[in-house]
């Protein structure tokens, strides 16, 4: 594999992208800094295939990233391969308003092949290539210039290894027939809505101090104001105002800007500065949430209760057994929220009752909660057995208690 010198000019970048455009796939990675900014600061882009790889300096004077961004977002014939790609994809989306397409994430694929949930890159390289990744430059300040040779070598290694791993993964996915399992996951990864936060819904990420429509309305207005301030100033949200302070102001709103000096988490300058004035304007303009806008009391569906909790435990045990049997990460098959919803009686809108998840796990999970399947012990191992007649709900609970015994 040919490793090019650091690319710092548009002509060299365009020539590289022209060659890579003839590939079936390219491995992509980025280095960025975002500790002190709202928008991640792109500091380096690495890209390559099995023949060549290069690092590109987006901070080089006069360089135009257009050829690279066109390859990533406009060329739909070349598959873009990432590892744990959301943050890389977010940066590309911020620059173009588009996500790379088509794309593939080796961290997600690893779960379908029985590897750990959210496997790290170093562990992935070791398991597939038998190599140890040098982590010496892991905590580099990538915004500083000039970059040292060891830093560039470290960064390029992220795509040279990935380019070798991907064909091996693809071959195993084809042999196991699990490639189709990943289609929906990759579609979610490439959904632009994931990378464009909606200021009107950001308040829902903050722990509310109560369920009052007035308090939640103020939270929504303050979260929208904070997001706008953070974007305009290019500062992290927490630098503008921490979640706890925002929620406290929503619950106990000051009547005048002068009272902001008494709010825990704010400096005395808020009593008379411009940002304090804008926050008070947002607070005064807030309106209570309507009944339709109020969040559900129980987003997971009906309350489980004691009996339902036992059934949920049974489903989690079934998930462990099935994931072990088919050698797939349990998280890819089902999430705890879905299992609890199924135990509580929910039957619509659950991923485990659709597509390949239903075939591999959901059908048996449904049979278990409906009394058509039970646990048994054979040769010291727990296995599933189908019952000829549906058992009563009380019998399912008894089975749960027995299954939990050592």
């Amino acid at each position: 594999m040919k490793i090019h010198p650091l690319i710092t000019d548009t002509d060299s970048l365009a020539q590289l992208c022209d060659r890579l455009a003839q590939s079936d796939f390219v491995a992509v990675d980025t280095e960025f800094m975002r500790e002190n900014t709202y928008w991640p600061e792109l500091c380096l882009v690495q890209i390559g295939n099995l023949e060549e790889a290069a690092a590109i300096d987006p901070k080089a004077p006069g360089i135009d990233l257009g050829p690279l961004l066109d390859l990533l977002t406009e060329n739909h014939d070349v598959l873009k391969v990432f590892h744990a790609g959301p943050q890389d994809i977010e940066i590309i989306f911020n620059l173009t308003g588009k996500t790379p397409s088509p794309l593939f994430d080796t961290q997600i694929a690893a779960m379908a092949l029985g590897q750990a949930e959210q496997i790290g890159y170093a562990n992935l390289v070791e398991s597939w290539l038998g190599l140890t990744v040098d982590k010496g430059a892991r905590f580099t300040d990538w915004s500083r210039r000039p970059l040292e040779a060891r830093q560039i070598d470290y960064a390029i290694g992220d795509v040279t290894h990935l380019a070798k791993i991907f064909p091996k993964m693809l071959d195993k996915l084809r042999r196991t027939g699990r490639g189709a399992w990943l289609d929906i996951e990759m579609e979610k990864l490439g959904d632009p809505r994931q990378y464009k936060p909606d200021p009107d819904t950001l308040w829902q990420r903050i722990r509310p101090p109560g369920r009052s429509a007035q308090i939640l309305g103020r939270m929504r207005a303050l979260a929208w104001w904070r997001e706008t301030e953070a974007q305009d100033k290019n500062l992290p949200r927490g630098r503008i105002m921490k979640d706890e302070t925002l929620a406290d102001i929503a619950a106990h709103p000051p009547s005048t800007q002068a009272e902001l000096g008494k709010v825990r988490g704010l400096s005395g300058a808020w009593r008379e500065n411009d940002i304090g004035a804008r926050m008070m304007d947002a607070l005064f303009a807030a309106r209570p949430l309507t009944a339709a806008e109020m969040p559900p009391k129980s987003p997971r569906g009906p309350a489980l209760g004691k009996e339902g909790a036992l059934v949920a435990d049974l489903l989690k045990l079934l998930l462990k057994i099935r994931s072990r049997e088919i050698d797939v990460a349990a998280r890819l098959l089902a999430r705890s929220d879905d299992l609890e919803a199924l135990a509580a009686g929910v039957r619509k809108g659950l991923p485990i009752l659709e597509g390949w998840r239903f075939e591999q796990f959901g059908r048996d999970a449904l049979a278990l909660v409906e009394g058509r399947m039970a646990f048994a012990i054979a040769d010291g191992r727990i296995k599933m057995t189908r019952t000829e007649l549906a058992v009563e709900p009380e019998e399912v609970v008894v089975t749960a208690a027995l299954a939990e015994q050592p």
Side-chain angles (χ1 to χ4, degrees):
M1 180 185 294
K2 181 176 182 180
I3 307 299
H4 297 284
L6 180 67
I7 291 180
T8 58
D9 65 277
T10 306
D11 288 343
S12 299
L13 176 60
Q15 293 172 23
L16 172 68
C17 292
D18 285 345
R19 294 191 301 272
L20 294 177
Q22 309 306 313
S23 305
D24 292 328
F25 76 91
V26 291
V28 186
D29 188 40
T30 66
E31 308 298 340
F32 55 89
M33 303 293 291
R34 70 181 315 164
E35 288 82 358
N36 299 310
T37 61
Y38 177 92
W39 307 104
E41 179 186 2
L42 181 61
C43 300
L44 201 67
V45 183
Q46 306 93 269
I47 189 168
N49 57 18
L50 289 172
E51 288 76 40
E52 59 181 326
I56 301 137
D57 185 358
K59 300 173 76 67
I63 193 169
D64 179 3
L65 296 180
L68 173 66
L69 298 175
D70 286 346
L71 173 63
L72 296 177
T73 63
E74 302 294 341
N75 188 325
H76 303 297
D77 295 324
V78 179
L79 182 69
K80 292 80 183 182
V81 180
F82 296 85
H83 179 78
Q87 293 191 91
D88 304 308
I89 296 169
E90 177 191 1
I91 290 173
I92 296 167
F93 177 81
N94 289 342
L95 292 172
T96 66
K98 301 176 182 179
T99 57
S101 175
L103 56 80
F104 183 94
D105 192 312
T106 53
Q107 188 178 70
I108 296 174
M111 289 195 290
L113 297 174
Q115 294 191 268
E117 300 172 9
Q118 296 185 322
I119 185 171
Y121 182 71
N123 290 335
L124 186 82
V125 171
E126 184 176 1
S127 64
W128 286 87
L129 302 179
L131 301 175
T132 300
V133 174
D134 180 6
K135 299 180 181 179
R138 184 178 180 184
F139 297 107
T140 286
D141 180 351
W142 294 102
S143 65
R144 289 189 176 184
R145 293 296 183 273
L147 292 171
E148 299 175 9
R150 67 176 185 87
Q151 295 172 315
I152 298 172
D153 291 343
Y154 167 86
I156 292 180
D158 286 347
V159 293
T160 57
H161 296 324
L162 203 58
K164 295 174 183 177
I165 292 171
F166 169 67
K168 296 176 181 290
M169 269 193 164
L170 187 61
D171 179 63
K172 189 170 182 179
L173 286 168
R174 286 170 174 165
R175 285 188 283 109
T176 56
R178 297 183 179 183
W181 293 10
L182 301 177
D183 290 344
I184 294 177
E185 303 305 314
M186 300 307 172
E187 287 178 11
K188 291 179 183 177
L189 184 64
D191 187 344
R193 291 175 294 183
Q194 289 199 63
Y195 308 102
K196 188 176 182 180
D198 182 358
D200 287 331
T201 61
L202 286 173
W203 66 274
Q204 297 173 4
R205 303 180 185 179
I206 304 171
R207 184 175 182 177
R211 283 189 52 82
S212 161
Q214 289 79 11
I215 291 177
L216 296 182
R218 289 192 287 267
M219 278 186 62
R220 178 175 63 181
L222 291 174
W224 190 94
W225 157 81
R226 183 180 67 171
E227 193 72 7
T228 302
E229 292 282 347
Q231 291 180 356
D232 289 346
K233 298 179 183 299
N234 195 24
L235 289 173
R237 298 182 186 99
R239 294 279 184 89
I240 302 296
M241 180 178 289
K242 295 187 180 301
D243 286 354
E244 296 81 1
T245 303
L246 189 151
D248 185 49
I249 292 175
H252 309 286
S255 56
T256 65
Q257 184 177 350
E259 295 179 24
L260 291 179
K262 302 176 182 179
V263 175
R264 183 178 180 180
L266 298 183
S267 69
W270 282 72
R271 290 177 297 189
E272 53 188 15
N273 61 15
D274 291 342
I275 191 172
R278 290 192 294 271
M279 193 220 73
M280 292 301 297
D281 288 343
L283 191 60
F284 290 145
R287 60 173 180 78
L289 297 189
T290 65
E293 293 170 331
M294 290 291 289
K297 291 183 179 181
S298 178
R300 295 182 180 180
L304 280 174
K306 293 182 179 179
E307 305 295 329
L310 285 173
V311 176
D313 287 341
L314 268 179
L315 288 170
K316 292 172 184 177
L317 178 58
L318 174 62
L319 178 61
K320 291 181 180 178
I321 294 172
R322 186 51 44 83
S323 63
R324 181 187 64 196
E325 289 176 346
I326 65 176
D327 194 25
V328 64
R331 184 180 176 185
L332 189 62
L333 272 180
R335 297 180 181 271
S336 294
D337 287 358
D338 294 336
L339 299 182
E340 292 173 6
L342 185 65
V346 176
R347 297 294 183 268
K348 293 183 179 180
L350 296 180
I352 56 175
L353 298 182
E354 300 172 355
W356 70 269
R357 287 184 173 87
F358 178 73
E359 297 297 328
Q360 297 295 328
F361 174 72
R363 178 181 284 111
D364 287 346
L366 192 60
L368 179 64
V369 299
E370 293 179 351
R372 293 179 282 107
M373 180 170 281
F375 290 97
I377 298 177
D379 299 324
R381 293 174 64 89
I382 298 176
K383 68 175 185 178
M384 302 305 299
T385 178
R386 295 193 177 277
T387 58
E388 294 184 4
L389 297 175
V391 298
E392 295 299 319
E394 290 80 1
E395 295 181 76
V396 176
V397 175
V398 171
T399 308
L402 290 174
E404 291 180 345
Q405 293 181 0

